[in-house]
């Protein structure tokens, strides 16, 4: 069974040293609670919970899966008890507003913990994970009454939440939804329709489930401008706010999926269920985006978390497994063969995982600071800048970290060889679990359109410039720093090229809108590689400073520099292929008619 | 449930038009039987069998899996009956020597059929699939008596075969095996030990199973020079050659795997089982390579087959699924949304699959001609050249087509969006099934070492030159052909660069052998992309010729050219990243000590 240890030392490096979280928290209104000692204690305790409570349930949860019996869903053995411990530990409300019963700690801290939860047990993490999105939507758009009724319960964790968007015929294109909401008495509506792919739609972990549901009012305009958001509880709260009458919403079936077997992915039937409008009529999509942006970053964190778990276990295996001799001569002459970590290609696979995990962690925690500023920051100018950067980075976090997370978990399998394909080792589960992250909350293709089309080109590239300027400044400042040229020079070149590529696509797109879609995924991957290069370059500067200042942990900092060097030499060159693909444009994509695509096999 | 149609038109293009199989068969001693009408009829009938008999059992076989009860393994429902039809149809002996009851048709034809079987039902295909390897080993290395006893049964298909190599502590490093063979009476040995990962080690499809087993004799030298090969039947043949006494070999457990659930992957226990030496003592590894090289190409074909099935179903889905409008304006204004095939990024994903499937098919059938020449060719010089090229291309077929097959099946899932993750659509199964192909019969890393180390550098690059010369000649001949410059120019450049990169690695490797392993996988991928570029360029020339000559199938040929253009513009640029990674060398891989790798998470 795979083991997992929270990467506390690396978290400390990224938070305390690289991104100066202590100063960040000190400046954040309300952030003063998060003093370094508190943060360290929370991360340590979270790591313990992830390792000792969640990780041991990961393989068994995958093998057991969920069961639907008489409309009730049973989560795998141990999940309920682990959730109780999670609630008892006060984890659900860590970053929630004290006004709603939360502890008011910064969101970034919760995000660091979410990495650990995803690493240890992704399927379990999806039960509380969706509650945050539901709580966010209610916090931003709910009435005072709705907040009083639902929010405190979600923050406490005794109720969980869902996001009910997708229907059988529409996922990406929510303008097509058919679920209807008909006004009845008072402020209530009757909701009817079928939703699919509802994570944690029904389960036995909490006493009530709060569904946030997209539906159409009778007078709704066509398309996505005619969607409204409703809150639909599984049990209607009674006068005392406790779960009362059973509402007309039920789980019709569980999906049989490739992975995350421990999480209940439900078909939810709404049969005249009683619901309440959240936000203005027909403005549901905007409300939904409140939930979705946080959820997208959450999914990126999942990609990172799985990369880390795969790396840790592949490393252990590579140290233990004896197979063949080093080409340079026996390294463990006393043993029948050398441990496979001596082989350069095994190291390439381990370093790929390590670089994606550590690079992803830097990106997530860099983005997490922006979330803090957007949510709690005091200075409006600073907040506006953070909002812009957060909008830019959200699709990169979501798509790049799930694409690289998938690659990393596959490399973990590859290090294990044939044993990686066997369930008991747990590596193949990571791949199956990681596979969903490239799909849900908007596929990689959707994120790429969001990044290039909606975020960058719509702003005439201004959004991007906020980020490339920051990178440019870093390069300017560090170009003469001893030892930095090796990193700064290629970074500066790529950073300038990023702008040029954007201009190039933008020009082409003025003549032909299809050019945006044609370039988008290669563009997003390019952007991801450059973004990680920037963060690795900063990590090198930090590590060099520590080494120069004298440190008792020289090996840690030297390893960080070596990892960055590997990233620059062996992974960053992939930008060359993406650049050429972007520059090639869309003609070769559009040349074949839908009919002609099948001429090789269709009679 | 996924559908599958044999790509008969594309097979005809590659075999009849691109590679001139009719002339190839006409020149092949014994190949005259394979006249175009016979070939067409066999491919058509094979396609029907794959589509109507095998494909319908693929999803159900995955869901049902195999059962071990009282030492007997039951394959999923329908597998046995399908196998009976396969035997009744005379398929097992298609390319086998008539002296052993085969039909004596060329091996290449069987390889084309194997693509269809892999496309339709990989797990089922693994039952007869291993028999070919066992038969090959006996044909090349068995005594006349062994041939008489086992070969005809394997060729007829009433018995199946296995390859028993791997043990719990060794897969790649067969020098470490512990299974023992002790001489007893006459020519018999007592075989004792445990083998794992034995595909089709035990099942109910055939009346007997012939295990080819690696074991060590009492006087065996250490390491891989001390391994011998034995034939160990499940039932010892009686006087009449029929299954008689039960031998001391049994299935101890079935592995629980990520995929190919319909195939029984067995732990096999040999408890003093009666076995017979195949080939000379201590020369088992050489005999095993006879089986392994064919098996490696077979696995490459599996990667291709899965890519094709994913592509076909993703195409159907992309034509049917309505979601969003084209960025260039509605394409299906009468419908609530456009079919997703209008979106450039969906087309990028479809074309990636199409290019890898069609490119892979060209590579397999090009390689298959070499197999024919090696096996049956008359001219010694031609045969030697074919042997050289086959040695070079085998690791590329194995590793490149499984890496790209895995990518292609993942793109198929991605086209389906969230539905791709759901079992009933069948796409996620393709990914799980494809995942093993990167591992078994030698991981991608092992193939890459074979290609760069054993095949190319050991020959001082001479092996590679045989191939690059052929490409060079093609480029020379076609550089002035109208319409070809767009393909020939980049191909010629890459072909020259391939040689330079090889020289570069070779020079570095003289100082440091680790440089071979450091470059190997990037090198193999680079080689694969260039090889497919060569074949796509040839396909373009062929298609242009057909268009110029006037054809009733202009759309087919224009689509072929468009696919090649996509490949050159959007996939071939990946060579840029691989090149840089190769040139970066191995220092960044070797810098971190095994202990320091874990400093981010190990306390």
């Amino acid at each position: 069974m795979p083991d997992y240890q929270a990467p506390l030392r690396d978290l400390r490096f990224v938070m305390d040293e690289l991104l100066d979280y202590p100063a960040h928290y000190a400046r954040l209104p309300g952030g003063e609670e998060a003093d370094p000692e508190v943060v360290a204690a929370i991360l340590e305790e979270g790591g313990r919970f992830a390792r000792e409570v969640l990780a041991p349930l990961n393989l068994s949860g995958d093998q057991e899966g969920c069961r639907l019996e008489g409309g009730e869903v049973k989560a795998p053995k141990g999940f309920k008890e682990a959730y109780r411990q999670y609630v008892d530990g006060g984890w659900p409300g860590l970053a929630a507003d004290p006004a709603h019963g939360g502890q008011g700690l910064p969101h970034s801290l919760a995000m660091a913990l979410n990495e650990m939860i995803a690493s240890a047990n992704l399927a379990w993490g999806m039960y509380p994970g969706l509650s945050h999105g539901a709580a966010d939507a209610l916090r931003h758009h709910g009435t005072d009454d709705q907040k009083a009724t639902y929010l405190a319960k979600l923050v406490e964790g005794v109720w969980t939440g869902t996001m009910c968007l997708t229907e059988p015929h529409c996922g990406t294109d929510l303008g097509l939804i058919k679920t209807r909401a008909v006004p009845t008495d008072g402020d209530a509506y009757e909701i009817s329709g079928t939703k699919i792919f509802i994570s944690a739609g029904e389960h036995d972990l909490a006493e009530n489930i709060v569904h946030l549901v997209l539906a159409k009012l009778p007078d709704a305009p066509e398309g996505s401008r005619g969607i409204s958001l409703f809150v639909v509880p599984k049990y209607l709260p009674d006068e005392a706010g406790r779960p009362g009458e059973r509402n007309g919403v039920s789980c019709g079936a569980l999906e049989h999926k490739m992975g995350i077997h421990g999480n209940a992915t439900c078909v939810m039937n709404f049969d005249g269920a009683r619901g309440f409008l959240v936000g203005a009529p027909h403005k549901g999509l905007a409300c939904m985006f409140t939930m979705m942006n946080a959820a997208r970053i959450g999914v990126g964190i999942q990609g990172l978390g799985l990369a880390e778990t795969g790396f840790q276990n592949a490393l252990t295996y590579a140290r233990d497994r004896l197979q063949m001799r080093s080409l340079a001569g026996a390294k463990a002459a006393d043993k029948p063969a050398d441990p496979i970590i001596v082989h350069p290609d095994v190291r390439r696979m381990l370093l790929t995982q390590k670089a994606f995990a550590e690079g992803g962690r830097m990106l997530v925690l860099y983005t997490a600071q922006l979330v803090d500023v957007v949510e709690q920051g005091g200075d409006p100018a600073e907040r506006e800048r953070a909002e812009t950067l957060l909008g830019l980075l959200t699709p990169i976090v979501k798509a790049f970290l799930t694409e690289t997370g998938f690659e990393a978990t596959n490399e973990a399998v590859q290090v294990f060889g044939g044993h990686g394909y066997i369930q008991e080792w747990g590596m193949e589960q990571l791949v199956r679990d990681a596979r969903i992250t490239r799909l849900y909350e908007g596929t990689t293709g959707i994120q790429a359109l969001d990044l290039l089309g909606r975020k960058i080109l719509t702003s005439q590239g201004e959004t991007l410039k906020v980020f490339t300027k920051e990178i440019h400044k870093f390069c300017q400042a560090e170009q003469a720093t001893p030892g930095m040229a090796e990193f700064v020079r290629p970074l500066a070149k790529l950073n300038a090229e990023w702008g040029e590529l954007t201009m190039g696509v933008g020009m082409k797109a003025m003549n032909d809108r299809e050019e945006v879609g044609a370039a988008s995924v290669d563009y997003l991957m390019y952007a991801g590689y450059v973004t990680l290069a920037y963060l690795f370059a900063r990590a090198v500067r930090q590590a060099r400073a520590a080494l120069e200042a004298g440190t008792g942990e020289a090996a840690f900092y030297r390893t960080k520099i070596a990892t960055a060097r590997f990233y620059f030499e062996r992974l960053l060159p992939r930008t060359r292929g993406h650049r050429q693909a972007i520059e090639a444009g869309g003609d070769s994509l559009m040349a074949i008619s839908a009919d002609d695509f099948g001429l090789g096999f269709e009679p």
Side-chain angles (χ1 to χ4, degrees), chain A residues 1 3 93 148 187 259 287 338 403 483 493 498 532-533 558:
Chain A
M1 198 175 67
D3 190 15
D187 60 346
C287 303
D338 288 335
E403 292 289 328
K493 223 170 133 180
W498 190 359
L532 252 54
R558 278 198 306 261

Side-chain angles (χ1 to χ4, degrees), chain A residues 119-205:
Chain A
S119 281
N121 194 327
L122 181 62
W124 184 91
M126 295 287 291
Y127 291 104
L130 276 296
S131 295
H132 294 292
D136 272 358
L138 289 168
R139 182 163 57 95
H140 286 288
H141 308 288
T143 62
D144 286 346
D145 194 39
Q146 287 168 352
K147 286 182 198 171
T149 309
Y150 302 105
L151 202 45
K153 299 288 192 179
L154 289 170
V155 166
E156 192 187 344
V158 290
W159 297 2
T160 64
T162 75
M163 292 164 58
C164 297
L165 291 71
T166 305
E167 301 185 3
H169 60 289
C170 68
T172 298
D173 192 352
L174 292 170
L176 301 175
I177 66 167
K178 291 178 181 169
T179 298
R180 298 281 148 188
V182 180
T184 53
D185 54 298
D187 60 346
Y189 294 78
E190 269 189 2
I191 314 286
S192 299
T194 299
K195 297 285 180 178
I196 62 169
F197 300 167
I198 307 308
S199 300
E202 172 62 32
H203 59 81
D204 58 352
L205 269 56

Side-chain angles (χ1 to χ4, degrees), chain A residues 211-331:
Chain A
H211 303 287
L212 275 284
V213 186
L214 289 187
K216 293 199 153 192
L217 292 166
D219 61 341
E222 292 249 318
S224 59
R225 288 167 201 280
I227 302 172
S228 304
L229 183 66
F230 298 86
V231 56
V232 183
K234 175 180 171 185
Y235 293 102
L236 290 157
D238 63 17
E239 300 285 306
R242 301 185 56 92
E245 189 191 338
R246 184 74 163 83
N247 204 353
V249 49
S250 60
C251 172
L254 290 176
E255 300 285 359
H256 299 280
K257 313 181 296 286
M258 184 184 195
I260 47 168
H261 291 160
N263 195 267
T265 306
C266 302
V267 175
M268 296 303 295
N269 296 322
F270 294 83
D271 299 313
R274 212 168 152 80
F276 308 92
L277 187 67
V278 177
H282 316 317
K283 299 292 182 198
L285 214 56
C287 303
M288 214 67 194
F289 268 109
T290 307
M291 299 167 67
M292 206 127 68
N293 280 328
R296 285 178 170 180
I297 291 174
V299 175
I301 293 173
Q302 294 175 352
L304 156 62
L306 294 170
E308 174 70 24
T309 306
F311 166 62
Q312 292 188 9
N313 288 280
L315 175 59
T316 302
Y317 189 81
R319 285 166 172 165
D320 291 348
R321 175 80 171 173
L322 307 177
Q323 210 78 173
M324 312 296 285
R325 290 293 178 192
S326 161
L327 286 179
K331 298 277 167 73

